[in-house]
Amino acid sequence: MEPSWSLHMLSEILSAFSTEDPDNLRNVLNRVAESVDAEVAAILCAGQIDWCIGLSEADQTHLVQQAQQQPTDIQIRSGALHTCWAPMGRRDVLFVGRLGERFDLEERALLRAMARSIELSIKMLRAVSSERQARKDAYQQATHDALTGLPNRRMVLDRLRSAIDHPVGDESLVTAVLFIDIDRFKWINDAHGHAAGDQLLIHVSRILKDAVRHGDLVGRLSGDEFIVITRTSDRNAASELARRIIAAIRQPLRVAGSELSHTVSIGISFAHAGDNPSSVLENADMAMYRAKALGRGRYASFHSSMRLQAQQRLSLEEALGHAVGNGEITTHLQPLFRLSDNTLSGFEALVRWQHPQLGLLLPGAFLEQAEDSGLIQDIDMTVFEAACSAIAQWQQIAGLEHLRLSSNLSARSLADPRVKERIKVILETTGIQPTNVYLEITETTLVEDIESTVSTINALRALNVRLAIDDFGTGYSSLLYLKRFPVGVLKIDRSFVNGLGMNPEDEVIATTIVSLARALELEVVAEGVENQMQLERIRELGGDYGQGYLFGRTLSIGDTERSFIAPRRPTAALLTTP
């Protein structure tokens, strides 16, 4: 065999192994077999055939079985196959077989040279493939979220920038961005741990991918924030997509052995030529916060006025972080009167923020930020402790021994495993009578995680405190919840009390709540009683207690002392008071 022809053959081998095309590799084996007039050629790696020509599947199986002994002859269906085994490293081997004459020394030398060239080429191919895979993995890590596999913020911004700068197809199409945030996701993490939170994130990512069209982008920005980028000619289509996503995600999900009713809030913004991608995302983010402010589980579209609101909200959140430590969170009390004899029965503790610049702020101005930031737990306990301390002192006054206290417990506080111990310490240090303490929880709080809520409330019940359901009738309670929880009080929401005597629907709802409470032997408190007509109607329906402006406005603890407690102190005590 001519040396020049052999060099040409080796050059073909190196060239063929520079790609991963199986046809090129088979061509190499064909040329190897042709070079020595052989019918069979194969490459065995780690005892298994990687590439082979000239053998049936049955004969290939027989070859693998004989490979370890490397016999000089192998019997195949066509006859006795004379063999040449040319090593390629420690474990791999080039096998060549022919039915005619045995291989001479020159042929064996050529095949060994080819084997070394193939060995080098395979190593090069593996190195190239490994580097190519490493680059692919690095790109995947840099542009995709590890948990869900969705494009991350970097890739979302790149795709959004491309959609803005290089619109493709119909010019009438507009790019819509949906910013999706899981409501109370931190609460889920706190209650069930991060593994359950990850399960929910994966669940939401799947729903989003199923909801969009081919060509739309679904990404995860961070935490519980997702993005959908879609092209549409009708802006209403973006709203319809948001409605479908909300409905699909609202379906209960079983997480860590508990069934959760979870929701998402969605903000929508539209990108225009020349827009900055980051600004478009910010706009959608602002719209999402507007959806949360409307009650969560909703969507809202961006409006320019939202930017100012976002700046104000950010400033408020920063100030709130210092408010608890600075003593700016204060406790106010609203009196509760027994309707049968119009006597003072207790107080509801309500939070206020004495802002250094903005003055006294009502809960609606900051509670949402408190919940999102996790500060609500400290705020709950701050209000509760101050109220317990005041009520405990007033219970020492003759005639006020059974003064009761109602105090709100947020969803996040209820999910906090430390809440029982924190409340226990407050009860013990203040000396308040636990049986006169009512913890008010909204209906929504009860159903977000039934199993966890039952466990926490049972632990609180062991402290001898009682449970009141606040704003009853505005959520989605059922008789099952009222049966499972140690509820002592139902509070009729002020929106229904306001319509008594005027609105037939409010009359029906209030009547139903009172009847339900009677059947379950629960007390009924009417909120927002502001005039005599409402008071008389609540009495006629059979309500037990009332609170509202007709009985007294919400006051600081000091003003409550002067307006409601001081007049009820014994005369001797009043005379000795400095």
Side-chain angles (χ1 to χ4, degrees):
M1 185 160 306
E2 294 294 329
S4 60
W5 196 94
S6 299
L7 290 174
H8 178 70
M9 180 66 199
L10 297 178
S11 174
E12 286 192 10
I13 291 173
L14 289 171
S15 175
F17 274 93
S18 66
T19 71
E20 296 181 4
D21 186 348
D23 289 337
N24 286 346
L25 303 179
R26 280 191 290 270
N27 288 337
V28 166
L29 290 182
N30 275 319
R31 295 302 302 272
V32 168
E34 289 174 1
S35 68
V36 291
D37 295 325
E39 293 83 13
V40 176
I43 295 176
L44 288 82
C45 297
Q48 300 295 321
I49 294 177
D50 271 8
W51 299 287
C52 182
I53 62 167
L55 287 181
S56 66
E57 289 187 8
D59 288 337
Q60 288 184 38
T61 301
H62 183 56
L63 173 61
V64 169
Q65 294 170 348
Q66 299 291 314
Q68 189 171 359
Q69 289 77 30
Q70 295 188 2
T72 56
D73 297 289
I74 291 179
Q75 188 68 34
I76 62 173
R77 289 189 303 172
S78 304
L81 195 64
H82 305 299
T83 67
C84 177
W85 305 84
M88 297 177 0
R90 296 175 58 186
R91 301 180 63 190
D92 302 342
V93 64
L94 169 66
F95 170 81
V96 182
R98 68 184 179 191
L99 297 172
E101 300 178 355
R102 297 182 181 277
F103 296 103
D104 59 28
L105 293 178
E106 182 180 356
E107 289 173 326
R108 291 180 181 276
L110 175 62
L111 291 175
R112 283 195 297 271
M114 289 182 178
R116 287 192 296 270
S117 297
I118 293 174
E119 176 189 353
L120 175 62
S121 299
I122 288 178
K123 288 181 178 179
M124 290 175 56
L125 176 60
R126 288 172 178 170
V128 169
S129 298
S130 177
E131 173 149 359
R132 186 181 297 122
Q133 185 62 44
R135 287 198 302 268
K136 183 178 178 181
D137 292 342
Y139 177 78
Q140 179 75 13
Q141 293 174 6
T143 59
H144 288 74
D145 170 53
L147 177 66
T148 63
L150 296 177
N152 62 11
R153 177 181 287 273
R154 171 183 168 182
M155 189 170 184
V156 166
L157 288 172
D158 287 345
R159 286 285 298 273
L160 184 55
R161 182 178 292 106
S162 177
I164 294 172
D165 296 343
H166 308 289
V168 179
D170 191 347
E171 294 183 356
S172 65
L173 296 178
V174 64
T175 298
V177 174
L178 279 67
F179 194 112
I180 300 138
D181 183 269
I182 302 175
D183 296 323
R184 295 190 176 95
F185 181 71
K186 292 180 181 178
W187 179 88
I188 294 173
N189 266 344
D190 290 344
H192 303 286
H194 291 283
D198 288 348
Q199 185 180 341
L200 178 58
L201 292 172
I202 294 171
H203 172 72
V204 169
S205 71
R206 290 171 179 166
I207 288 178
L208 293 178
K209 287 188 286 187
D210 290 341
V212 303
R213 302 167 304 180
H214 177 72
D216 292 342
L217 176 75
V218 176
R220 181 189 176 201
L221 294 187
S222 63
D224 59 335
E225 298 174 343
F226 294 84
I227 286 290
V228 168
I229 300 176
T230 182
R231 298 268 289 169
T232 177
S233 58
D234 182 4
R235 294 192 174 213
N236 291 330
S239 299
E240 179 56 35
L241 175 58
R243 281 192 288 269
R244 291 202 311 272
I245 290 173
I246 290 171
I249 294 177
R250 191 185 294 274
Q251 300 304 312
L253 172 68
R254 194 146 194 90
V255 172
S258 299
E259 188 172 88
L260 297 183
S261 295
H262 52 286
T263 59
V264 294
S265 297
I266 301 179
I268 304 173
S269 68
F270 296 93
H272 305 89
D275 280 349
N276 181 291
S278 295
S279 297
V280 176
L281 290 186
E282 289 174 5
N283 293 344
D285 188 14
M286 293 177 212
M288 181 274 295
Y289 273 103
R290 175 58 180 164
K292 283 186 179 291
L294 293 173
R296 295 187 173 88
R298 307 185 184 207
Y299 71 90
S301 296
F302 174 76
H303 187 273
S304 57
S305 63
M306 293 180 183
R307 188 167 293 277
L308 176 60
Q309 296 171 358
Q311 293 170 349
Q312 294 172 340
R313 183 178 63 249
L314 178 60
S315 176
L316 199 65
E317 287 179 2
E318 292 175 350
L320 185 60
H322 305 286
V324 177
N326 293 342
E328 297 169 14
I329 299 300
T330 63
T331 301
H332 282 53
L333 301 173
Q334 185 173 39
L336 178 73
F337 278 74
R338 186 163 53 235
L339 299 182
S340 61
D341 55 9
N342 205 36
T343 58
L344 178 68
S345 297
F347 297 91
E348 178 181 359
L350 299 168
V351 64
R352 297 291 187 267
W353 179 7
Q354 189 64 53
H355 194 284
Q357 287 80 41
L358 302 178
L360 192 66
L361 299 181
L362 298 179
F366 61 90
L367 278 192
E368 180 183 342
Q369 288 87 341
E371 290 181 356
D372 291 340
S373 64
L375 290 169
I376 189 64
Q377 293 154 275
D378 288 334
I379 291 175
D380 281 349
M381 293 301 103
T382 297
V383 171
F384 182 62
E385 184 172 16
C388 284
S389 180
I391 298 296
Q393 293 181 36
W394 299 338
Q395 286 176 344
Q396 306 305 312
I397 300 173
L400 298 181
E401 299 88 351
H402 301 294
L403 206 61
R404 58 200 286 172
L405 168 67
S406 294
S407 190
N408 292 286
L409 197 63
S410 66
R412 293 204 62 179
S413 291
L414 194 62
D416 188 347
R418 302 169 300 170
V419 68
K420 176 192 173 183
E421 288 305 316
R422 296 182 73 175
I423 290 177
K424 179 181 179 182
V425 169
I426 292 173
L427 294 175
E428 292 175 348
T429 56
T430 61
I432 192 172
Q433 296 178 18
T435 52
N436 289 335
V437 173
Y438 292 77
L439 296 175
E440 295 191 5
I441 305 171
T442 62
E443 293 179 77
T444 305
T445 301
L446 290 178
V447 298
E448 282 184 334
D449 180 3
I450 296 299
E451 286 79 4
S452 177
T453 302
V454 168
S455 175
T456 303
I457 291 178
N458 285 337
L460 293 176
R461 182 168 58 176
L463 300 177
N464 291 321
V465 299
R466 302 179 72 186
L467 177 67
I469 300 183
D470 196 12
D471 301 335
F472 190 78
T474 61
Y476 32 81
S477 282
S478 72
L479 293 176
L480 174 63
Y481 303 139
L482 297 180
K483 178 181 177 181
R484 293 185 66 177
F485 295 110
V487 176
V489 174
L490 296 185
K491 299 189 72 176
I492 304 177
D493 185 66
R494 65 181 64 249
S495 62
F496 305 127
V497 174
N498 186 58
L500 290 179
M502 298 178 294
N503 188 308
E505 288 80 7
D506 290 344
E507 287 271 349
V508 170
I509 293 174
T511 301
T512 301
I513 293 175
V514 173
S515 299
L516 176 62
R518 287 289 164 265
L520 296 174
E521 299 181 347
L522 307 178
E523 295 177 341
V524 175
V525 175
E527 297 180 298
V529 180
E530 298 182 355
N531 56 57
Q532 196 65 31
M533 181 180 67
Q534 294 169 352
L535 174 60
E536 293 303 325
R537 189 66 187 119
I538 284 293
R539 281 176 173 162
E540 292 172 3
L541 293 176
D544 299 295
Y545 300 92
Q547 65 183 90
Y549 290 166
L550 183 63
F551 301 105
R553 293 179 177 271
T554 302
L555 301 172
S556 67
I557 291 178
D559 288 339
T560 299
E561 164 83 28
R562 286 184 285 273
S563 299
F564 292 95
I565 303 303
R568 290 171 170 79
R569 289 184 183 275
T571 304
L574 290 176
L575 293 176
T576 59
T577 301

